[in-house]
């Protein structure tokens, strides 16, 4: 059981603009956010389709850094686990580091 809920399946970086970051939940308050990865314009003269990536944060220091980064371009280091418990976060992606891109 411990292995399933804590095993790091993958890890890496994703870059984009932080468009949402909040602490939410009915019973377990967790930090949740969204990163706009950008988009592609497949047809001329049409709107761009943005790709959003949802993530969770366990570490208070990382959460404090992300709160200051809304609307800014960042590179987020993350780990993906197999399955998250409700008190860990809403997603299986957990951000472990933040770097602001100038």
């Amino acid at each position: 059981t411990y292995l399933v809920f804590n095993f790091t399946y993958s890890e890496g970086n994703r870059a984009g603009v932080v468009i949402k970051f909040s602490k939410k939940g009915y019973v377990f308050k967790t930090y949740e956010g969204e990163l706009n990865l950008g988009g592609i314009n497949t047809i001329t003269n049409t709107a761009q389709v943005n790709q959003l990536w949802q993530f969770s944060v366990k570490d208070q220091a990382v959460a404090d850094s992300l709160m200051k980064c809304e609307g800014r371009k960042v590179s987020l280091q993350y780990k993906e686990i197999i399955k998250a418990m409700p008190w860990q976060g809403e997603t299986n992606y957990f951000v472990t580091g933040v770097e602001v891109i100038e």
Side-chain angles (χ1 to χ4, degrees):
T1 303
Y2 178 81
L3 184 64
V4 170
F5 294 111
N6 291 292
F7 178 75
T8 300
Y9 173 73
S10 71
E11 54 189 316
N13 297 322
R14 292 203 183 187
V17 177
V18 178
I19 59 170
K20 175 185 162 192
F21 190 72
S22 62
K23 187 174 185 179
K24 66 181 196 175
Y26 291 110
V27 177
F28 303 109
K29 300 289 186 186
T30 59
Y31 289 103
E32 308 297 329
E34 282 186 359
L35 187 71
N36 184 347
L37 300 172
I40 56 172
N41 191 353
T42 56
I43 303 171
T44 308
N45 298 327
T46 61
Q48 210 176 35
V49 178
N50 291 323
Q51 184 178 4
L52 301 178
W53 179 62
Q54 297 180 340
F55 60 88
S56 301
V57 176
K58 293 180 187 179
D59 186 6
Q60 183 66 46
V62 174
D64 292 340
S65 296
L66 275 167
M67 284 183 194
K68 299 172 186 171
C69 293
E70 272 187 303
R72 298 177 72 186
K73 188 161 181 146
V74 295
S75 174
L76 302 180
Q77 296 83 39
Y78 72 92
K79 291 184 178 185
E80 179 185 7
I81 62 173
I82 296 172
K83 177 72 177 140
M85 295 302 289
W87 54 84
Q88 291 178 307
E90 292 182 357
T91 71
N92 294 339
Y93 297 96
F94 292 93
V95 171
T96 57
V98 180
E99 180 183 340
V100 176
I101 299 172
E102 298 299 334

